[in-house]
Amino acid sequence: MIRPSYLKRLDGRNQTAALKQQILFGLAIGWMLVLLGGLRYLFVPDASDSLWLAVLWIGVILLALTLIVPSVLAWPEKLWMKLAHIIGTGIFSIILMVVYFTFFLPVGYFLKWRHGCHPFYQWTDGQAVDAEGWKRKNLRAETIEQSGRKRPILIQPLILISHFVRQGHYVFIPALILLLLLGLILFFAQSSVLAPFIYTIF
Amino acid sequence: MSTKIRILGISAYYHDSAAALVEDGLIVAAAQEERFTRIKGDASFPHNAIAYCLEAGGLREDNLDFVVFYENPFVKFERLLTTYHWTAPHSLRSYLQAFPSWLTGKLWMENEIAREMGIKKRIHFCDHHLSHAASAFFPSPFDEAAILTIDGVGEWSTTTYGVGGGNRIELIDHIRFPNSLGLLYSAFTYYTGFKINSGEYKLMGLAPYGGPKYVDLIREKLIHISDDGSIAMNQHYFDYVGGLTMTNGRFDALFGGPPRKPETLITQKEMDIAASIQVVLNDAVLTMARHVRTKTGMENIVLAGGVALNVVAMGMMSTEGIFKKIWIQPGAGDAGGSIGAALWMWHQNLDHPRTPGNPDGMHGAFLGPDIPPSSASDDAILERLGAVWETLEEVELQQRIAEKIADEKIVGVARGRMEFGPRALGARSILGDARSPAMQSHMNLKIKFRESFRPFAPMVLEEDSAEYFDVRQESPYMLLVYPVVERRRLAAAKENLFGIDLLKIPRSEIPAVTHVDYSARLQTIDKARNPFMHAVISDFKRRTGCSVIVNTSFNVRGEPIVCTAEDAYRCFMATEIDCLVLGNRFLYREKQKNRPMNDAERAKWLRRFELD
């Protein structure tokens, strides 16, 4: 079966993105090793000079490979990103848990104390009472722009926050803002070669 | 480029991803991703379906005028965030599972879709139930109609109703999460050991074997159905709000034990539960329909959403005569949201007029990739696979198919454009003789490799449908159940048979398609939508005097319906299908160069597909 041209372009984009990742990986890690090894070797003379010289050379070789045949870095880059993913998943879960216990839990208890039982909880072992029934379906009309371009990603959190404000969900907004910031950082970090370093900032 | 306006609708990331292309209001192409990736209910971004739609329209992705996603991720996120707050601390595990993918991807859907497609265009979002409503009303044959959408959950809505007229849709009221008929049915699907989002058909098929002994318990403890059809579900017994499963320990205690483990023996208990929940569902749907009739005053109704695929409830709504006519979107599940989202943009937002199609706007649901009568590329693939065939003229081919079915042979047909939606309607179908008493068991066990209790559906000439079934209207998309007429029924022996044993007794002149309660999920075949199959059944009628044949989807258990000639040939060689039609080619099983798979090879092949 002939591969449709859309899929060929998708393959092309994926290959370009992978190559870009490999080059960024080679340059970032290569320069880091060169600087680390070079500085230690030149300015901090001690017994482990040969180690720092080796680090320097590994960095130089990595940079050379990046410039000549970046595709050989495909597997190291994949392993690096896998490491980033593992670190990221662990740290992310811890941060999410902190947010949950700091905001979700107290706000949830507050809501239940303030408003009584929500429909989620209102039933016990008995028969239904005060069923919500049919509610008005209010839909906001969308403004259509004929040649609209993609909206910048940084605008989107504002749209979401304004939606929560319109719905009167003020108590959820602190958690929402925190989660949005976290999400934005991770959205950009997940495809970056610096991801393992960004994650450790947390 | 011409001045046509091209709109791509996308549904993705929940289950059964799909894409649809609408050009100047006409549905040009639509397909589900699973057909290309061969992963049942594939939820990944539908690259293959989009590629197909663009090829069908002769377009590049940057020629699209609008791209519309079938739900609003922000409102869905609002529901999740609200739910997790209200259900803390119970919701912790579900929150930790769901939020990483939301915060790093789904929340930034506009960027995600644009990045996946390599475009810089703005992505538009249509409310989930509005997508369903649009997929039901805009392609329907009605100028105006009531609209009812029922599914698990969209953003907040689980059920909506409204009115469609001309090129406008107005959704009036909705029932909100967590009160959901779809989720109630899915909870019982889970409890009876079937897979959610695909096992619902099995639960429905199992119902006639049981008795409705749990109806009172369900009504008393689990769901309250008001006179206006609105429902309230007792969350005391469910776990899906903030939890990780559908039901909880209290639900288990209510029904006397834990959920059935998948693939274990189905007992009378599961059959009784299936019968009971079907009765409750029917009652709720009919009450809702009556309310919608009163509130809207409309004569006709259109439906979509996963619950609209419950053909028993839909058949009952038709039989009750609440509305004059019913039209159900053939892709009523989430996949159909892609068509709805695109049509919503064309009619509702861009304000283009609408002329109802005749017989409707779905082109018989034949919107997928084509297997043409002849093609060099298919020939090359088939030769590589060792296929041996003869090429026939269309009329001769129709006669040959009818002849083989009349000889009780099983014929696989993969020809023309693939169907959109879960039902095979004659373009990717396996056909058999409905008069044969052994056909149901043989097809289930030797062709589909699935549970023996599952019924098969009849294809019947529309003009003869009333001869065999107590029909109230056409059913071109196999979405309505009607009973076999009394005079075609056989006097069943009054033996003491229960459960699956009921299958052993032929119940009508067409036993292969008559369920144990004399019902049949029929597909009426008309010349306008399906001229090829109409000719095949007409020829079969000339030979046998019978206008009914068996039609089941061309796949095995757990496999998506075949898409290409290659998929069809591989399935043919793995099963005991006797003959295969690929375009205008006719193939006999025994004449193939390669021998068919033996049991060990077949078992290995079947393991590729996850059990549903």
Side-chain angles (χ1 to χ4, degrees):
Chain A
M1 195 173 160
I2 302 160
R3 196 159 171 78
S5 53
Y6 168 85
L7 293 180
K8 285 185 193 160
R9 289 190 288 280
L10 174 68
D11 293 343
R13 285 201 304 278
N14 287 342
Q15 281 162 12
T16 307
L19 189 65
K20 194 174 141 195
Q21 283 287 94
Q22 288 149 17
I23 292 171
L24 283 173
F25 167 77
L27 290 177
I29 306 298
W31 274 115
M32 236 182 276
L33 294 178
V34 165
L35 288 174
L36 184 68
L39 289 173
R40 290 296 299 247
Y41 179 70
L42 293 173
F43 299 109
V44 193
D46 60 19
S48 47
D49 269 2
S50 54
L51 169 73
W52 296 117
L53 189 61
V55 170
L56 172 65
W57 274 109
I58 292 169
V60 171
I61 291 167
L62 206 54
L63 287 175
L65 283 174
T66 307
L67 295 175
I68 302 163
V69 270
S71 57
V72 298
L73 301 175
W75 280 105
E77 190 267 340
K78 272 187 186 149
L79 283 173
W80 181 254
M81 293 312 290
K82 184 93 185 157
L83 174 74
H85 180 72
I86 293 165
I87 297 173
T89 307
I91 293 177
F92 198 15
S93 296
I94 294 167
I95 298 169
L96 283 178
M97 254 196 275
V98 170
V99 175
Y100 188 86
F101 286 109
T102 316
F103 293 95
F104 283 60
L105 194 61
V107 170
Y109 278 132
F110 169 76
L111 287 173
K112 279 177 258 180
W113 168 75
R114 180 88 171 74
H115 298 287
C117 281
H118 191 271
F120 297 159
Y121 286 120
Q122 75 177 12
W123 283 27
T124 59
D125 204 22
Q127 185 51 273
V129 283
D130 299 331
E132 188 178 77
W134 294 103
K135 301 270 286 185
R136 279 276 142 199
K137 174 93 179 161
N138 292 317
L139 288 167
R140 272 169 64 86
E142 193 181 355
T143 317
I144 303 301
E145 299 158 39
Q146 192 75 18
S147 56
R149 286 177 69 81
K150 187 179 66 167
R151 293 171 296 188
I153 192 167
L154 293 174
I155 299 249
Q156 291 174 41
L158 300 178
I159 299 170
L160 183 56
I161 293 168
S162 69
H163 172 75
F164 271 68
V165 170
R166 274 200 309 275
Q167 299 299 317
H169 294 326
Y170 304 111
V171 285
F172 301 148
I173 288 175
L176 176 69
I177 290 171
L178 208 61
L179 288 170
L180 286 174
L181 283 173
L182 192 62
L184 275 177
I185 292 168
L186 291 168
F187 180 78
F188 289 114
Q190 63 186 345
S191 57
S192 161
V193 288
L194 299 177
F197 302 109
I198 295 170
Y199 293 142
T200 48
I201 294 170
F202 294 106
Chain B
M1 293 297 295
S2 69
T3 52
K4 282 183 177 173
I5 292 181
R6 278 92 174 214
I7 305 167
L8 184 77
I10 295 173
S11 78
Y13 296 127
Y14 181 52
H15 68 103
D16 210 9
S17 296
L21 179 67
V22 167
E23 264 188 15
D24 276 357
L26 284 178
I27 307 167
V28 173
Q32 294 140 274
E33 184 69 0
E34 63 162 26
R35 306 293 168 88
F36 304 94
T37 60
R38 314 304 299 151
I39 300 167
K40 185 102 168 168
D42 194 347
S44 61
F45 191 78
H47 280 302
N48 293 283
I50 291 171
Y52 155 68
C53 287
L54 294 176
E55 292 278 308
L59 300 174
R60 284 172 57 99
E61 54 275 23
D62 34 22
N63 301 139
L64 291 165
D65 294 286
F66 296 95
V67 178
V68 192
F69 190 64
Y70 82 127
E71 66 180 8
N72 187 328
F74 286 171
V75 183
K76 193 169 177 176
F77 185 74
E78 177 213 333
R79 193 228 321 148
L80 285 176
L81 200 75
T82 308
T83 305
Y84 287 148
H85 272 89
W86 274 99
T87 54
H90 179 62
S91 54
L92 177 64
R93 283 175 63 203
S94 173
Y95 157 86
L96 287 176
Q97 223 171 63
F99 266 39
S101 65
W102 267 96
L103 296 179
T104 57
K106 290 179 190 171
L107 205 46
W108 320 110
M109 194 64 80
E110 188 164 346
N111 287 66
E112 277 286 287
I113 294 174
R115 186 179 58 79
E116 291 282 3
M117 291 183 63
I119 55 175
K120 292 189 164 55
K121 189 164 279 301
R122 177 165 172 189
I123 310 298
H124 299 273
F125 299 100
C126 178
D127 177 90
H128 184 101
H129 276 262
L130 190 54
S131 295
H132 279 319
S135 77
F137 176 67
F138 290 132
S140 77
F142 308 133
D143 189 45
E144 57 174 23
I147 302 169
L148 179 59
T149 66
I150 317 172
D151 74 356
V153 58
E155 289 86 1
W156 271 106
S157 308
T158 64
T159 304
T160 66
Y161 77 85
V163 173
N167 68 345
R168 314 297 299 171
I169 283 175
E170 187 201 353
L171 289 182
I172 300 167
D173 284 346
H174 68 154
I175 297 172
R176 299 199 314 162
F177 181 84
N179 299 314
S180 164
L181 266 189
L183 292 177
L184 175 72
Y185 204 77
S186 290
F188 279 95
T189 303
Y190 162 79
Y191 185 74
T192 47
F194 301 117
K195 197 171 167 185
I196 294 169
N197 288 334
S198 64
E200 282 79 1
Y201 305 119
K202 296 185 189 182
L203 190 64
M204 186 175 64
L206 196 59
Y209 297 99
K213 61 186 278 193
Y214 296 103
V215 169
D216 290 343
L217 184 69
I218 295 171
R219 283 182 197 282
E220 187 189 329
K221 297 288 188 185
L222 301 183
I223 183 170
H224 174 73
I225 304 167
S226 302
D227 292 342
D228 63 1
S230 65
I231 57 163
M233 283 169 66
N234 189 349
Q235 294 305 319
H236 193 61
Y237 296 97
F238 297 95
D239 191 44
Y240 62 80
V241 182
L244 290 173
T245 55
M246 292 303 293
T247 57
N248 61 22
R250 287 187 284 266
F251 188 101
D252 299 351
L254 209 57
F255 289 93
R260 181 182 77 93
K261 287 197 169 62
E263 303 310 306
T264 57
L265 184 73
I266 295 171
T267 65
Q268 191 61 43
K269 178 186 164 188
E270 279 78 36
M271 296 175 198
D272 292 339
I273 287 177
S276 307
I277 189 62
Q278 187 64 53
V279 168
V280 174
L281 183 86
N282 294 346
D283 182 28
V285 169
L286 293 183
T287 314
M288 277 177 189
R290 286 189 197 99
H291 177 71
V292 173
R293 177 79 172 89
T294 310
K295 284 285 177 184
T296 63
M298 292 286 156
E299 280 193 335
N300 301 318
I301 188 169
V302 296
L303 295 111
V307 177
L309 292 172
N310 189 299
V311 290
V312 177
M314 295 303 114
M316 201 163 270
M317 191 193 292
S318 167
T319 304
E320 288 278 315
I322 301 166
F323 290 92
K324 199 170 159 189
K325 275 193 173 175
I326 295 175
W327 192 87
I328 303 163
Q329 161 59 237
D334 280 359
S338 58
I339 289 181
L343 288 174
W344 164 79
M345 176 58 78
W346 173 257
H347 290 298
Q348 189 107 344
N349 279 314
L350 302 177
D351 202 22
H352 289 288
R354 166 182 170 265
T355 309
N358 182 19
D360 60 42
M362 281 300 289
H363 311 288
F366 301 115
L367 296 165
D370 191 23
I371 298 180
S374 64
S375 87
S377 60
D378 281 346
D379 285 351
I381 290 166
L382 291 170
E383 273 166 16
R384 181 167 53 78
L385 294 170
V388 177
W389 68 87
E390 57 181 309
T391 304
L392 304 174
E393 290 300 317
E394 190 162 303
V395 174
E396 203 183 347
L397 183 65
Q398 289 158 348
Q399 290 168 351
R400 181 77 63 88
I401 297 170
E403 177 198 330
K404 293 298 164 193
I405 296 172
D407 287 347
E408 292 199 28
K409 301 288 184 201
I410 294 172
V411 182
V413 175
R415 190 179 189 282
R417 292 186 73 179
M418 183 178 68
E419 301 87 344
F420 181 73
R423 303 271 83 93
L425 302 169
R428 301 291 185 277
S429 288
I430 299 172
L431 310 176
D433 189 346
R435 300 165 306 156
S436 165
M439 190 58 72
Q440 187 194 13
S441 172
H442 179 64
M443 273 186 145
N444 267 333
L445 300 176
K446 298 289 183 184
I447 308 293
K448 305 280 280 187
F449 307 109
R450 68 184 196 184
E451 304 92 332
S452 60
F453 71 83
R454 296 179 65 183
F456 285 103
M459 254 183 180
V460 57
L461 293 176
E462 195 199 345
E463 55 271 29
D464 293 346
S465 57
E467 291 286 312
Y468 292 87
F469 307 98
D470 195 3
V471 293
R472 300 303 163 97
Q473 65 167 80
E474 63 167 13
S475 174
Y477 301 116
M478 207 192 271
L479 291 172
L480 296 170
V481 158
Y482 291 113
V484 173
V485 291
E486 289 280 351
R487 66 177 181 282
R488 301 273 178 188
R489 296 182 188 181
L490 300 178
K494 300 290 179 202
E495 66 299 306
N496 290 320
L497 293 178
F498 298 98
I500 306 292
D501 288 341
L502 290 166
L503 266 181
K504 293 173 183 166
I505 310 293
R507 284 171 192 273
S508 75
E509 293 170 14
I510 41 173
V513 292
T514 308
H515 209 355
V516 295
D517 60 352
Y518 297 100
S519 67
R521 181 189 54 176
L522 71 151
Q523 179 191 2
T524 52
I525 298 290
D526 57 82
K527 268 188 191 165
R529 290 186 182 91
N530 202 336
F532 184 84
M533 286 313 304
H534 191 275
V536 169
I537 304 176
S538 298
D539 193 84
F540 180 77
K541 183 185 173 187
R542 272 193 292 278
R543 290 167 193 273
T544 64
C546 176
S547 315
V548 184
I549 61 172
V550 181
N551 171 23
T552 186
S553 53
F554 199 149
N555 60 350
V556 295
R557 184 183 173 187
E559 182 191 16
I561 295 174
V562 298
C563 178
T564 61
E566 182 174 353
D567 299 335
Y569 186 76
R570 287 187 191 282
C571 189
F572 168 61
M573 293 299 281
T575 61
E576 294 189 13
I577 296 172
D578 299 297
C579 310
L580 176 64
V581 174
L582 289 173
N584 275 11
R585 305 171 195 82
F586 198 89
L587 297 85
Y588 291 94
R589 181 180 167 81
E590 64 274 12
K591 289 186 182 170
Q592 302 308 299
K593 280 183 195 163
N594 297 323
R595 62 173 174 76
M597 286 184 191
N598 59 34
D599 287 349
E601 290 164 338
R602 183 183 297 132
K604 189 178 167 195
W605 182 71
L606 287 172
R607 278 199 293 274
R608 296 168 56 198
F609 307 115
E610 198 183 327
L611 292 179
D612 55 358

